[in-house]
């Protein structure tokens, strides 16, 4: 290669490099939609909803592959109820939450406090909600007024989505659920924190309904209601590495309210901790429901003073509303494997199943639950068909109760034989 040729080459490389740098900068710049560029104040006082909607509309309507709605760090943005509406032009869109988003300071300052959601995303494909920032629903004024759950908003409500990813964010003091996932397919939620006081009403961590193919992992949920609740129409859900508590545990249900037909299947909960929760692994169904909840497993569960570490309640009913069972959500193929730790309640295991359907194919293995004071807990089972390698469990839970026996006689039977050494 001669000198001239080499010089020419270097010059080309240089100019191509400059061109590339310029293009990249232009591209990144063009595809980053910083809310400040759309008029957000970020002073924590001014309503920035309009700026956020404009930034979203620009990002959502923009061409190109990776578009980012940027919410910068070290800044607090106040948002009134807001919906980020799809579908968007591209197959994915990122919301980079580095800063803090707060709700109006109290219920009186909400523009529409009776809306069901504070921050909503609807019909968005490939939504990535990521970052180390947080959202604060400032729910205390809602909790104090003893409002019905239906009159309080969910902090983050995501519906009709596919390929959703949520990573890193924190939600604090939601008025009702922290996160609701409804009618979504293919969801990954990881490394998030959800915090609300133990006594805050209906502040479920993650509430899933009518959704499939969901992974939730490596997250901390400390709240006033279920850490995760799985509702009808949901299947293929894996939950692992969740540190739950305070809270009401991880629940399937409540299913079958008002005679509804439920369908929940293929739920796997593994390597989770229930730390001072009021329930652990719970399935609850309303009297009179229909449909099924099947293929559900809870495995490798650590208990720290959990109140009802294993519970099925098929007699869920409104207080004072009685309660002749005509139908029930059929529960089958449920596994409890490897429960270890302490409970705060003498009746640590309660399986109150339906007389109509029984709970079928229930397996319990490696259950080692002790009372915090070292005492041995009790087990209470009704209408459960299943098996265990533990002979005590076999004797006291999976006795062959057939539907020809009256409920009364089975109740008596179970009272006679409830005292069991577990573990
Ligand atoms: C459940 O989700 C599907 C799509 O995922 C939707 O078509 C259907 O309307 C949803 N049903 C309910 C009751 O929300
Ligand atoms: C959940 O785990 C099971 C097996 O461990 C796997 O077959 C299934 O695909 C997983 N589901 C999701 C949504 O990843
Ligand atoms: C039960 O669920 C697991 C994972 O959730 C899945 O791999 C398995 O195929 C399901 N089994 C049945 C019998 O449906
Ligand atoms: C359980 O909760 C208590 C009180 O919130 C906390 O101090 C403790 O570190 C938690 N334990 C684990 C193992 O997370
Ligand atoms: C049950 O747990 C206790 C306390 O953690 C432990 O000492 C004991 O060895 C365990 N028993 C079995 C059978 O694993
Ligand atoms: C339970 O008892 C009924 C009637 O006594 C019998 O038909 C059935 O096979 C028994 N089931 C099991 C699992 O032993």
């Amino acid at each position: 290669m001669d000198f001239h040729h080499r010089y020419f080459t270097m010059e080309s490389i240089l100019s191509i490099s400059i061109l590339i740098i310029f293009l990249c900068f232009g591209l990144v710049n063009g595809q980053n939609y910083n809310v400040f560029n759309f008029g957000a104040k970020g002073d924590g006082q001014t309503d920035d909803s309009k700026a956020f909607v404009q930034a979203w509309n620009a990002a959502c309507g923009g061409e190109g592959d990776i578009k980012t709605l940027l919410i910068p760090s070290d800044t607090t943005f106040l948002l009134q109820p807001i919906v980020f509406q799809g579908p968007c032009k591209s197959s994915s869109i990122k919301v980079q939450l580095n800063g803090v988003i707060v709700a109006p300071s109290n219920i009186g300052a909400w523009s529409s406090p009776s809306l069901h959601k504070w921050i909503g995303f609807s019909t968005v494909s490939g939504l990535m909600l990521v970052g180390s920032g947080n959202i604060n629903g400032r729910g205390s004024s809602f909790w104090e007024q003893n409002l019905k759950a239906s009159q309080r908003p969910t902090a983050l409500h995501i519906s009709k989505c596919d390929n959703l990813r949520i990573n890193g964010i924190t939600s604090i003091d939601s008025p009702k659920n922290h996160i609701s996932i409804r009618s979504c397919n293919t969801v990954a939620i990881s490394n998030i924190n959800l915090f609300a006081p133990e006594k805050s009403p209906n502040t479920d961590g993650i509430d899933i309904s009518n959704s499939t193919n969901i992974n939730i992992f490596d997250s901390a949920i400390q709240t006033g209601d279920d850490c995760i609740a799985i509702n009808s129409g949901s299947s293929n859900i894996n939950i692992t590495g969740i540190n739950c508590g305070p809270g009401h545990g991880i629940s399937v249900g409540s299913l079958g309210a008002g005679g509804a037909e439920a369908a929940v299947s293929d739920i796997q909960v593994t390597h989770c901790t229930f730390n001072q929760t009021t329930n652990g692994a719970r399935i609850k169904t309303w009297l009179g429901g229909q449909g099924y909840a099947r293929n559900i497993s809870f495995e490798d569960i650590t208990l720290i003073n959990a109140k009802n570490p294993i519970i099925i309640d098929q007699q869920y009913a409104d207080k004072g509303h009685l309660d002749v069972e005509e139908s029930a959500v059929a529960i089958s193929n449920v596994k409890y494997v490897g429960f270890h730790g302490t409970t705060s309640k003498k009746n640590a295991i309660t399986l109150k199943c339906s007389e109509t359907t029984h709970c079928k194919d229930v397996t319990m293995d490696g259950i080692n639950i002790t009372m915090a004071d070292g005492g041995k807990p009790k087990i209470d089972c009704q209408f459960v068909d299943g098996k265990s390698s533990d002979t005590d469990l076999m004797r006291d839970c999976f006795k062959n109760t057939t539907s020809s026996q009256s409920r009364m006689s089975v109740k008596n039977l179970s009272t006679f034989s409830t005292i069991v050494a577990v573990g």
Side-chain angles (χ1 to χ4, degrees), residues 231-242:
N231 297 298
S232 190
S234 302
S235 63
N236 196 17
I237 298 176
N238 293 346
I239 296 168
T240 191
I242 302 301

Side-chain angles (χ1 to χ4, degrees), residues 1-13:
M1 200 189 285
D2 66 21
F3 178 75
H4 180 79
H5 194 171
R6 200 184 308 167
Y7 175 76
F8 179 73
T9 307
M10 281 175 65
E11 191 187 44
S12 309
I13 289 170

Side-chain angles (χ1 to χ4, degrees), residues 222 243 245-246 273 275-276 304:
Q222 302 168 6
N243 208 331
T273 298
N275 185 355
Q276 307 180 60
I304 302 168

Side-chain angles (χ1 to χ4, degrees), residues 329-352:
V329 177
I331 295 176
S332 64
N333 190 9
V334 183
K335 292 188 175 59
Y336 303 93
V337 179
F339 277 62
H340 37 90
T342 54
T343 179
S344 59
K345 195 181 175 194
K346 193 129 185 96
N347 279 58
I349 302 178
T350 305
L351 305 184
K352 266 198 297 186

